[in-house]
Amino acid sequence: MKILSGMQPSGTLHLGNYLGALRQWVEVQSADAHYCVVDLHALTLQISPEMLRKNTTDLLATYLAAGLDPEVCTIFIQSQVPYHAQLNWLLECVATYGELSRMVAFKEKSARQEGYRVGLLTYPVLMAADILLYDTEEVPVGDDQRQHLELTRDIAERFNNRFGDTFTVPLGVQPKVSARVMDLQEPTRKMSKSISSPLGTIYLFDSPSDIKRKISKAVTDTDGDVRYDWETKPGISNLLEIYASFAKETPDAIASRYTRYGDLKTDLANLMVENLSPLRESYDRLIQSPAELHAVAERGAEKAREQAGAVYRRAAQAMGL
Ligand code: AMP
Ligand code: TRP
């Protein structure tokens, strides 16, 4: 199965990024899997060149710490494969302003910024280029990327209809549980990097005491029944999904073992600390050797350029270039 996914180097990952995306990537990695740090996408965030560089190295270390293995899959930095930006332009001449302006992520982000840049609008076209360059069949991402995946499919189909069969039409895949991890303080809103919620967000490299504190303070409800029911019990359902994701069980099976919120929270916090501590230790070790991390990315980019170059030429030729 040909797989591609990526994440923006926008700072420390939270639990949603890990359970919704990165952990799936590790499970499905193979010689046909490509994972990139999408630094070009991060130019739409307003971060300094120094921060972007630092975040890129951090994210490489995080990929490896989580278990992506450069001997098994291809790990690279998007900007080191120029075909992404090149195909982006070709696809911008296929995508329409109307469909881009309907993207929920664009509407939300543009509403929060005055004088937002064109890149915020065309962001999903670059994402489509990332995906289509590798003849990708499946894209493991969290629930919030569904609409971008649909757009990628539309662009690929439109291109194929107009210029002849060129691209594989990809499918987005979400994990069964935790495709949408919610904020612990506001369980009807997804856990997010862009909205500050210090107690509601668990970062991948939070200390054990922070994890325990945040879980113990997580918002629940007053009916006192441990049940998996998003309609009436979003706080508890969110905790049960996180638990299920780590324990590889179903939320209902876990709910059936508990009668008290406190016990559920204590066990969940311990399970998380147990699972996340090794990641944090690997990250601390890997980040000591930035040159090695970049050597891994350089080797990955070399492999990626070969593959992406072939598909880019196919698309350029089809369009008459
Ligand atoms: P982003 O934070 O937008 O760079 O997202 C990186 C990856 O994490 C994407 O695949 C998202 O779908 C996924 N993701 C982000 N937030 C969440 C969340 N709260 N729950 C599950 N997955 C998420
Ligand atoms: N848009 C994705 C996000 O915000 C990141 C991304 C860019 C991506 N290119 C991609 C994800 C290609 C999957 C495949 O999380």
Side-chain angles (χ1 to χ4, degrees):
M1 184 68 68
K2 293 208 172 81
I3 285 168
L4 178 132
S5 199
M7 244 180 240
Q8 293 191 62
S10 51
T12 320
L13 266 64
H14 57 64
L15 196 62
N17 301 136
Y18 179 63
L19 297 180
L22 185 52
R23 211 186 52 170
Q24 297 192 76
W25 303 359
V26 175
E27 284 165 7
V28 297
Q29 65 181 319
S30 75
D32 282 333
H34 290 80
Y35 300 112
C36 53
V37 173
V38 294
D39 56 344
L40 295 174
H41 278 102
L43 295 176
T44 60
L45 310 162
Q46 315 245 349
I47 56 173
S48 68
E50 294 74 26
M51 270 316 273
L52 179 54
R53 229 166 264 138
K54 177 183 178 301
N55 288 350
T56 299
T57 310
D58 281 357
L59 190 53
L60 283 174
T62 306
Y63 282 4
L64 298 185
L68 289 185
D69 180 350
E71 302 296 321
V72 174
C73 63
T74 305
I75 299 166
F76 66 101
I77 298 171
Q78 182 192 34
S79 65
Q80 294 186 347
V81 182
Y83 301 112
H84 291 243
Q86 283 181 276
L87 184 63
N88 172 65
W89 176 252
L90 306 195
L91 299 182
E92 278 192 22
C93 296
V94 174
T96 69
Y97 176 81
E99 64 192 346
L100 292 178
S101 60
R102 280 195 295 275
M103 292 291 115
V104 173
F106 167 70
K107 286 198 273 193
E108 284 176 2
K109 287 183 186 167
S110 60
R112 286 203 295 267
Q113 284 178 32
E114 218 166 291
Y116 58 84
R117 316 296 147 89
V118 180
L120 209 54
L121 177 72
T122 56
Y123 177 108
V125 183
L126 179 58
M127 176 165 166
D130 298 340
I131 295 168
L132 300 179
L133 277 174
Y134 299 87
D135 289 329
T136 304
E137 296 162 290
E138 286 193 351
V139 185
V141 279
D143 185 66
D144 59 354
Q145 295 300 312
R146 267 176 205 265
Q147 200 187 20
H148 288 159
L149 253 301
E150 277 311 309
L151 178 75
T152 301
R153 291 169 58 85
D154 289 346
I155 291 175
E157 281 167 0
R158 195 176 311 145
F159 191 105
N160 288 348
N161 285 336
R162 239 168 97 186
F163 300 110
D165 205 13
T166 305
F167 295 124
T168 301
V169 181
L171 209 65
V173 287
Q174 277 83 41
K176 280 195 201 73
V177 288
S178 294
R180 193 173 187 84
V181 177
M182 306 308 258
D183 187 283
L184 298 179
Q185 288 297 311
E186 239 181 281
T188 49
R189 178 171 73 65
K190 73 166 181 172
M191 196 177 278
S192 154
K193 285 182 214 171
S194 38
I195 296 168
S196 165
S197 173
L199 270 179
T201 315
I202 291 192
Y203 293 99
L204 204 49
F205 302 133
D206 270 350
S207 66
S209 61
D210 280 342
I211 293 177
K212 289 181 179 165
R213 190 165 50 89
K214 290 177 186 178
I215 294 289
S216 78
K217 290 192 187 312
V219 164
T220 52
D221 53 60
T222 51
D223 90 4
D225 194 14
V226 179
R227 229 173 345 109
Y228 181 53
D229 175 358
W230 277 104
E231 282 293 306
T232 58
K233 302 173 71 67
I236 287 293
S237 300
N238 192 34
L239 295 179
L240 285 169
E241 281 214 16
I242 296 170
Y243 196 141
S245 187
F246 279 110
K248 299 200 174 3
E249 290 181 74
T250 65
D252 284 315
I254 292 156
S256 71
R257 294 204 298 272
Y258 288 94
T259 50
R260 288 166 36 176
Y261 293 174
D263 297 341
L264 172 74
K265 284 180 165 183
T266 307
D267 287 358
L268 171 57
N270 287 333
L271 182 66
M272 285 172 65
V273 167
E274 199 181 295
N275 275 272
L276 296 179
S277 294
L279 258 72
R280 192 198 158 106
E281 283 158 24
S282 298
Y283 172 85
D284 287 343
R285 187 170 40 74
L286 289 158
I287 202 66
Q288 304 298 320
S289 320
E292 277 175 39
L293 293 168
H294 283 280
V296 164
E298 189 48 59
R299 284 199 298 278
E302 229 168 89
K303 283 199 275 175
R305 279 192 291 266
E306 221 171 278
Q307 160 102 39
V311 179
Y312 173 75
R313 282 186 289 276
R314 206 198 291 154
Q317 251 171 21
M319 288 183 100
L321 298 175

